[in-house]
Amino acid sequence: MIDTFRKIKKDFQAALSMDPAATSKLEVALTYSGFHALLFHRFAHWLGKKRIPFFPRALSQFARFLTGIEIHPGAAIGSGLFIDHGMGVVIGETTEIGDNVTLFQGVTLGGTGKQHEDRHPKIRRGVMIGAGAKILGNIEIGHCARVAAGSVVLKPVPHNTTVAGVPARVVGEAGCPEPARTMDQLFQDVDR
Ligand SMILES: CC(C)(COP(=O)(O)OP(=O)(O)OC[C@H]1O[C@@H](n2cnc3c(N)ncnc32)[C@H](O)[C@@H]1OP(=O)(O)O)[C@@H](O)C(=O)NCCC(=O)NCCS
């Protein structure tokens, strides 16, 4: 439970520090749907780990009703996740997300329908995933990678790499150790 509260604190700090539009702690606490969805998820995940039936899914669906963000209670999410705008984000059951990741609205971390059991993406620390990107299957997105808005990612992405397009291909290097933290969205040439 202490770990759950620690993560909630980091989620709050992430929203406050990452969003230039955030003007106060009160504003983040009361109006940030990404933070609200994570708040519900932290408790749903904790209940799920205690093997309590029904309530984790019920909490998850209630959060979806309130925020438009659907996070399966089974998803393992590190601290400091920032979900900007949020509407339409879907995070599947066996997804893993490292610390300090940023997701924009419309991101899907889903299955392909061809895999069973462990079937969702593994997102490592510091990754930024642009609006509307779809990452499908049990593939790894390496730390500090960036996924461009609207991309469909079907293959693993190496760390510190930027991918874009449908299907996604490498278009550059990620320009900083943790693009999710700096919001640095500038490409650098791969050959550089
Ligand atoms: C990937 C990203 C970080 C790169 O931004 P950038 O460094 O300014 O890149 P550029 O615009 O110079 O584009 C570089 C190349 O990638 C391509 N590209 C960039 N974004 C792309 C995208 N979303 N889909 C497909 N190709 C893309 C460009 O066409 C260009 O290709 P070219 O070299 O063949 O001309 C940015 O485009 C992005 O998608 N950010 C997500 C931000 C977001 O979701 N914001 C939502 C706020 S509500």
Side-chain angles (χ1 to χ4, degrees):
M1 200 32 136
I2 290 172
D3 188 50
T4 299
F5 281 113
R6 190 184 59 80
K7 283 181 174 169
I8 290 170
K9 190 176 167 194
K10 294 263 187 190
D11 297 336
F12 183 78
Q13 287 169 339
L16 196 59
S17 65
M18 290 291 295
D19 188 353
T23 57
S24 71
K25 289 180 180 175
L26 186 67
E27 187 180 75
V28 171
L30 297 184
T31 70
Y32 274 55
S33 58
F35 174 66
H36 298 157
L38 280 168
L39 199 56
F40 280 104
H41 172 73
R42 297 300 183 194
F43 287 110
H45 186 70
W46 182 80
L47 290 172
K49 285 207 329 199
K50 299 277 172 209
R51 301 198 177 281
I52 292 170
F54 178 71
F55 286 101
R57 285 309 296 274
L59 260 187
S60 162
Q61 289 303 306
F62 183 60
R64 177 185 179 229
F65 173 76
L66 288 180
T67 66
I69 297 167
E70 180 166 338
I71 309 177
H72 192 286
I77 300 180
S79 60
L81 176 62
F82 176 47
I83 304 177
D84 202 1
H85 308 294
M87 181 62 79
V89 167
V90 175
I91 301 177
E93 180 181 16
T94 58
T95 303
E96 290 174 22
I97 299 180
D99 295 338
N100 302 333
V101 166
T102 293
L103 310 179
F104 287 96
Q105 71 274 14
V107 165
T108 299
L109 305 178
T112 58
K114 293 186 279 191
Q115 294 166 309
H116 301 282
E117 304 294 332
D118 192 1
R119 60 198 182 282
H120 295 117
K122 310 295 176 257
I123 312 296
R124 303 306 178 203
R125 67 176 168 81
V127 169
M128 185 207 74
I129 305 178
K134 313 296 171 200
I135 301 180
L136 305 177
N138 185 358
I139 55 175
E140 179 169 339
I141 311 300
H143 65 263
C144 301
R146 291 178 300 184
V147 178
S151 303
V152 176
V153 184
L154 301 167
K155 293 183 179 162
V157 174
H159 64 84
N160 293 93
T161 299
T162 303
V163 296
V166 182
R169 62 181 178 83
V170 174
V171 291
E173 290 179 358
C176 60
E178 290 203 4
R181 276 288 158 269
T182 63
M183 297 293 279
D184 178 359
Q185 297 172 359
L186 298 175
F187 280 144
Q188 292 179 2
D189 292 336
V190 177
D191 295 332
R192 212 179 276 174

